[in-house]
Amino acid sequence: MKAEPLVLERVLNAPVARVWDALTNNAKMKKWYFDIADFKPEIGFEFQFYGSKDDTRYLHLCKITELIPEQKLTYTWKYENYPGESAVSFELFEEAGKTRLKLTHTGLETFITDNPDFAPSSFHAGWTFIIGTSLKDFVEGQ
């Protein structure tokens, strides 16, 4: 059974170029997202980072699969030593000097179901905070 993708949209009071820079510049990413030391916005680029939930650390393994500057960034998203693979996509739309960001996370149904950290509700809460608070505060505060 294929689950519905997680889709969240937010309007950010910042121009597309600033939001794109926040999504693709590793020095800026670590201020609102994760510390990805050697991130390069290039198709095929593979990167990893740690994320934690309570006392558990998860190594995220990602590979950029789609890149349209200032419009779309997509990468695979999986975890070391856990089954499943998903994809995260950030799409940017200019709206009167602001940016509408559409985040789509597909493939969540491929992750293990007996770990609450991989439940759709966990992803929803995480992405809601990341794009609705952390990224928003960062790009609007510049």
Side-chain angles (χ1 to χ4, degrees):
M1 182 175 101
K2 185 158 176 71
E4 290 296 312
L6 169 61
V7 179
L8 296 172
E9 292 191 49
R10 297 292 183 272
V11 175
L12 306 171
N13 189 15
V16 166
R18 185 183 308 156
V19 177
W20 181 257
D21 192 42
L23 291 173
T24 59
N25 178 317
N26 62 333
K28 293 183 179 175
M29 291 167 75
K30 73 180 181 179
K31 294 179 180 177
W32 67 271
Y33 191 44
F34 294 98
D35 188 0
I36 304 170
D38 59 351
F39 184 86
K40 291 185 180 121
E42 300 169 357
I43 291 179
F45 182 76
E46 295 184 36
F47 61 97
Q48 60 187 32
F49 60 92
Y50 279 99
S52 299
K53 175 78 165 117
D54 301 321
D55 291 331
T56 306
R57 284 175 38 114
Y58 295 103
L59 181 60
H60 298 66
L61 306 171
C62 305
K63 180 178 180 179
I64 297 175
T65 58
E66 189 174 7
L67 183 92
I68 304 169
E70 298 192 1
Q71 292 180 34
K72 189 172 186 181
L73 172 65
T74 303
Y75 45 83
T76 60
W77 176 288
K78 60 184 179 178
Y79 300 93
E80 183 180 59
N81 300 321
Y82 292 93
E85 183 171 318
S86 63
V88 175
S89 179
F90 297 88
E91 293 177 89
L92 306 180
F93 305 91
E94 195 277 329
E95 291 187 353
K98 296 181 181 183
T99 303
R100 181 169 52 88
L101 182 147
K102 179 180 178 183
L103 178 131
T104 305
H105 196 156
T106 60
L108 295 177
E109 73 278 3
T110 68
F111 295 125
I112 54 176
T113 57
D114 60 348
N115 182 336
D117 293 346
F118 297 115
S121 59
S122 287
F123 286 98
H124 188 275
W127 285 123
T128 296
F129 175 78
I130 287 170
I131 67 167
T133 300
S134 189
L135 176 62
K136 180 182 189 311
D137 291 350
F138 179 74
V139 298
E140 292 182 359
Q142 288 187 316

